[in-house]
Amino acid sequence: MERGIILKRYGGFFYVYSNGKVYECVCRGKNRLLHDDIYPGDLVEFLPGEGEKSDKCVIEGLLPRNNLLIRPPVANVSQVICVVALKYPSPNLFLLDRLLVNAEYYSLRAVICLNKKDFATDQNSEKIINIYQGLGYKIVVTSAKTGEGVEQLKGELKDNLTVFAGQSGVGKSSLLNAIIPGLKLKVGEVSKKLKVGRHTTRHVEIIKLPEGGFVADTPGFSRLDLPEMYPEELGNYFPEIREHRVNCKFTSCLHENEPQCNVKAAIEQGLINEERYGNYLKLLAEVRERERGR
Ligand SMILES: Nc1nc2c(ncn2[C@@H]2O[C@H](COP(=O)(O)OP(=O)(O)OP(=O)(O)O)[C@@H](O)[C@H]2O)c(=O)[nH]1
Ligand SMILES: [Mg+2]
Ligand SMILES: [Zn+2]
């Protein structure tokens, strides 16, 4: 029995990477039920075919997974690169905070990549760096066009299964093309078209990096739902709220208008960024709205 990782599924086949080779596999017999529950990033056991049929393989089992992201549907993700363009499109920090909350929810490492540096001044990036570095997030400034920062970004990918996420047009595919020689992901117009199709998510593919590790390009989005959670949970996914909430009077404090709220005190002392707090409140409203709909 061999072990490998699912790169993609396509036309009823699974493409499994194992020891430097890619095998085309099917699910068969008692494992037919597995068919709809295997995603890129999943680790599987498979039997290679014999003789002339050595490239026809059968998946025999699915190994337990660490996590399964819903959008994009990728299993065993270890980190997310949240890509933000410094210009064109201009940075959307509400969307970035959503991405970071998603990463925190799944306990994934999050790296913030500020791309399109060639369009921007240092001042453009400073504001974002000041807010997010203090929260413990690693930040890499890049230009897929000039190559600035690309080596550093590449260094973050080794030995991880990384998902590139972010708004449409920020340069996710362009960065991967710059990182992986010979890769020709579609950029610009075409990928914009793809993202409206409901089926793009079915074709999520992870790519093996020559240096070790895997990456997934994802179609951009303008909307990203938060995972299901209770309102009291949301503060756990903001590192600065997590830090200060321990001293709130009520353990159920949502840091809105409750008395003796240490998070509000921290905001007044300038220890918590107001824009982040504003985004927390907006996301809190969403979590509540969804709870009502359940
Ligand atoms: N000047 C400049 N242009 C860039 C840079 N990175 C990407 N672009 C351009 O920005 C446009 C969008 O890039 P993509 O790589 O397709 O963006 P994406 O994030 O993959 O977009 P979706 O697939 O729609 O989510 C293309 O025209 C790229 O050539 C950069 O660092 N500098
Ligand atoms: Mg793209
Ligand atoms: Zn509070």
Side-chain angles (χ1 to χ4, degrees):
M1 197 84 79
E2 307 268 344
R3 270 187 188 187
I5 177 170
I6 305 279
L7 296 179
K8 66 172 173 180
R9 41 186 308 165
Y10 192 77
F13 293 104
F14 298 91
Y15 294 84
V16 180
Y17 174 87
S18 176
N19 284 325
K21 274 178 72 178
V22 179
Y23 299 84
E24 191 179 81
C25 300
V26 292
C27 278
R28 193 179 279 161
K30 66 174 170 34
N31 287 316
R32 261 200 316 249
L33 283 174
L34 261 184
H35 192 273
D36 292 334
D37 190 36
I38 296 181
Y39 295 90
D42 264 329
L43 299 173
V44 293
E45 288 183 322
F46 65 98
L47 276 179
E50 285 176 11
E52 272 178 22
K53 291 184 176 167
S54 65
D55 56 340
K56 301 272 178 275
C57 310
V58 181
I59 291 178
E60 294 289 333
L62 173 64
L63 297 170
R65 50 171 84 108
N66 291 329
N67 55 41
L68 174 63
L69 302 201
I70 296 161
R71 188 173 173 172
V74 181
N76 297 316
V77 176
S78 61
Q79 66 176 357
V80 181
I81 307 274
C82 304
V83 185
V84 174
L86 289 163
K87 274 198 178 165
Y88 315 118
S90 53
N92 180 339
L93 298 188
F94 186 43
L95 191 61
L96 174 61
D97 287 339
R98 260 176 199 286
L99 282 171
L100 293 173
V101 165
N102 263 280
E104 297 276 346
Y105 177 91
Y106 287 105
S107 306
L108 305 177
R109 175 171 189 249
V111 174
I112 298 170
C113 171
L114 302 177
N115 189 37
K116 307 204 187 185
K117 175 68 175 65
D118 54 298
F119 280 143
T121 61
D122 285 341
Q123 272 169 334
N124 294 123
S125 48
E126 260 164 29
K127 178 194 158 196
I128 305 179
I129 292 175
N130 284 339
I131 299 175
Y132 291 93
Q133 216 158 39
L135 300 174
Y137 295 113
K138 173 95 187 212
I139 300 183
V140 184
V141 181
T142 59
S143 166
K145 193 172 176 197
T146 67
E148 179 180 350
V150 168
E151 277 304 310
Q152 199 195 344
L153 185 63
K154 195 171 170 178
E156 299 297 328
L157 305 181
K158 202 170 175 296
D159 301 328
N160 275 286
L161 198 170
T162 306
V163 163
F164 274 60
Q167 209 179 340
S168 187
V170 292
K172 300 177 294 296
S173 303
S174 305
L175 284 166
L176 285 172
N177 284 339
I179 286 169
I180 306 170
L183 186 72
K184 289 202 172 61
L185 292 173
K186 288 165 186 156
V187 302
E189 283 305 304
V190 184
S191 64
K192 265 183 200 141
K193 250 186 247 159
L194 274 175
K195 85 174 200 289
V196 289
R198 291 190 106 219
H199 301 292
T200 38
T201 49
R202 290 215 142 253
H203 294 158
V204 172
E205 174 173 3
I206 63 172
I207 302 151
K208 170 90 175 69
L209 294 165
E211 293 80 14
F214 297 86
V215 287
D217 184 23
T218 76
F221 43 77
S222 49
R223 234 201 106 68
L224 172 73
D225 283 329
L226 290 180
E228 295 234 348
M229 65 176 83
Y230 294 107
E232 298 77 29
E233 245 182 290
L234 183 63
N236 294 341
Y237 309 131
F238 281 74
E240 67 276 54
I241 293 179
R242 193 162 65 212
E243 179 188 339
H244 292 281
R245 69 183 288 176
V246 286
N247 292 319
C248 290
K249 179 166 183 180
F250 301 105
T251 47
S252 63
C253 188
L254 293 172
H255 329 298
E256 293 177 289
N257 296 302
E258 295 91 336
Q260 296 180 45
C261 169
N262 192 50
V263 170
K264 292 283 264 207
I267 295 164
E268 265 150 44
Q269 292 165 45
L271 298 173
I272 290 182
N273 175 271
E274 300 223 17
E275 204 173 326
R276 283 271 294 174
Y277 175 66
N279 288 342
Y280 163 78
L281 291 179
K282 281 205 256 177
L283 292 174
L284 185 63
E286 268 180 43
V287 171
R288 279 208 180 103
E289 192 57 40
R290 256 237 308 264
E291 216 189 20
R292 231 171 271 141
R294 273 212 296 261

